[in-house]
């Protein structure tokens, strides 16, 4: 899988996320939280959540915002003001709301021109009830965008055939869902997610959609995923900035647990105290 440039060791630097960077879409990031920017109760709540999460990559819905926004109170302006050399914050436009490859490609091209970035989170939705991706249209759009020089972050289902196809065609990241978008159901099929990690060991994998709380984020990272993408779990929480902070810590904890290497699961107990030297009491 895509490991860190410098894996944290047993010393104090094990708790320093900056010691565990990863590379995706031409970016080297220390944060493994990707954050969506829609449906927050206020712009200030969003900005506080961005800060609390520690994210360095935020998604913006191209079809849901005004790309011509200007002024300090607009979403794009406020996010750009958060960017600095010390604390980078990059924009990842997404094609949310697209139902065909043609729609998604045109939306991505519009985003590249307006936001001056080749990175795009590719969503091609199949139907309205579950918001599951349309695998056929998704693969078609991904192929066109990769050929056009885009760094494609592809939102997909958890089936290995589609995921491998997206990886083989050169997507920057493959982003399988944990559960339907906005459901908060957590990782409903961790078995499938484990398979994807095993068959795509060198591809950046990000769990996208379905995470509801911090334990879901920790589990995703324990499975060896490179990052998580959140929106509703934070934006819909009673106190979004606090949930964003919880996700930040859970992601770090899960990542450290993965690097540490968990003990194997056993059907029966195994005593932690050695038998040697045990005191024997006789009547």
């Amino acid at each position: 899988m895509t490991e860190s440039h410098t894996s944290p060791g047993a010393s104090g630097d094990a708790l320093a996320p900056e010691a565990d960077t990863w590379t995706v879409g031409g970016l080297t990031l220390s944060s493994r939280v990707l954050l969506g920017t829609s449906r927050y109760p206020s712009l200030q709540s969003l900005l506080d959540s961005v800060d609390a999460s520690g994210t360095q990559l935020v998604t913006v819905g191209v079809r849901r915002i005004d790309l011509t926004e200007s002024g300090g109170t607009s979403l794009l302006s406020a996010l750009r003001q958060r960017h600095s050399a010390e604390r980078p914050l990059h924009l990842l436009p997404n094609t949310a709301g697209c139902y065909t490859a043609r729609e998604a490609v045109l939306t991505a091209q519009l985003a590249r021109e307006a936001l001056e970035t080749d990175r795009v989170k590719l969503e091609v939705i199949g139907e309205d009830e579950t918001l599951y991706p349309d695998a056929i249209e998704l693969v078609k759009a991904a192929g066109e965008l990769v050929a056009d020089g885009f760094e494609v972050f592809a939102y997909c289902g958890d089936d290995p055939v589609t995921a491998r196809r997206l990886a083989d065609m050169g997507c920057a990241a493959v982003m399988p869902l944990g559960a339907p978008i906005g459901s908060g159901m957590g990782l409903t099929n961790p078995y499938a997610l484990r398979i994807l990690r095993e068959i795509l060991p060198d591809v950046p994998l990000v769990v996208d959609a379905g995470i509801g709380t911090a334990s879901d984020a920790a589990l995703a990272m324990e499975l060896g995923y490179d990052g998580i993408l959140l929106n509703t779990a934070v934006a819909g929480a009673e106190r979004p900035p606090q949930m964003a902070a919880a996700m930040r810590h859970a992601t770090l904890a899960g990542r450290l647990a993965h690097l540490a290497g968990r003990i194997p699961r056993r059907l029966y107990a195994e005593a932690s105290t050695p038998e040697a030297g045990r005191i024997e009491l006789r009547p």
Side-chain angles (χ1 to χ4, degrees):
M1 79 194 67
T2 307
E3 291 290 351
S4 61
H5 292 276
T6 305
S7 294
S11 61
D13 70 347
L15 296 178
E18 61 271 15
D20 181 38
T21 58
W22 62 302
T23 300
V24 61
L27 299 173
T28 297
L29 307 173
S30 57
S31 171
R32 293 173 182 268
V33 175
L34 286 65
L35 195 65
T37 56
S38 66
R39 299 192 175 185
Y40 285 79
S42 67
L43 178 58
Q44 190 58 53
S45 176
L46 164 61
L47 297 177
D48 290 343
S49 297
V50 167
D51 292 341
S53 72
T55 186
Q56 296 170 323
L57 190 59
V58 293
T59 67
V60 290
V62 178
R63 302 188 66 172
R64 295 171 180 165
I65 63 170
D66 182 359
L67 296 178
T68 64
E69 285 181 331
S70 61
T73 60
S74 75
L75 172 63
L76 291 178
S77 295
L79 291 173
R80 284 169 170 151
Q81 289 172 12
R82 282 294 197 276
H83 177 79
S84 67
E86 297 76 24
R87 166 74 191 284
L89 184 65
H90 304 280
L91 298 180
L92 178 63
N94 72 43
T95 63
C98 293
Y99 289 80
T100 67
R102 182 174 181 275
E103 281 185 305
V105 169
L106 289 175
T107 302
Q109 291 170 339
L110 173 64
R112 177 162 65 181
E113 182 176 343
L115 301 180
E116 299 181 336
T117 177
D118 289 327
R119 288 180 289 275
V120 63
K121 182 195 171 191
L122 177 61
E123 294 183 30
V124 186
I125 300 303
E127 52 84 39
D128 290 325
E129 194 67 25
T130 64
L131 298 181
Y132 264 59
D134 183 322
I136 295 174
E137 293 293 301
L138 171 67
V139 170
K140 180 180 177 182
E144 291 184 36
L145 291 173
V146 169
D148 195 22
F150 280 88
E151 297 281 1
V152 177
F153 293 62
Y155 165 66
C156 62
D158 58 13
D159 74 279
V161 176
T162 302
R164 188 189 291 278
R165 188 163 295 172
L166 292 168
D168 288 346
M169 67 174 49
C171 287
V174 175
M175 307 175 71
L177 55 80
I181 292 172
S183 68
M185 289 294 292
L187 308 190
T188 55
N189 195 351
Y191 170 74
L193 295 178
R194 287 179 62 187
I195 290 177
L196 293 187
R197 179 72 284 177
E198 185 167 322
I199 67 173
L200 300 173
D202 301 316
V203 176
L205 293 182
V206 177
V207 171
D208 179 7
I211 287 177
T213 191
S215 57
D216 302 329
L219 177 56
M221 300 306 295
E222 288 173 8
L223 291 175
Y225 275 66
D226 297 287
I228 57 171
L229 194 151
L230 309 159
N231 194 155
T232 307
V234 175
E238 291 184 19
R239 289 172 286 278
Q242 288 185 334
M243 183 60 78
M247 294 297 186
R248 177 181 189 172
H249 291 296
T251 301
L252 176 57
R255 173 67 179 166
L256 288 172
H258 169 69
L259 293 176
R262 65 157 291 142
I263 63 172
R265 291 179 171 86
R266 304 178 189 277
L267 183 61
Y268 297 102
E270 181 178 82
S272 57
T273 304
E275 294 287 326
R278 186 175 65 177
I279 299 175
E280 293 187 11
L281 300 178
R282 299 180 183 278

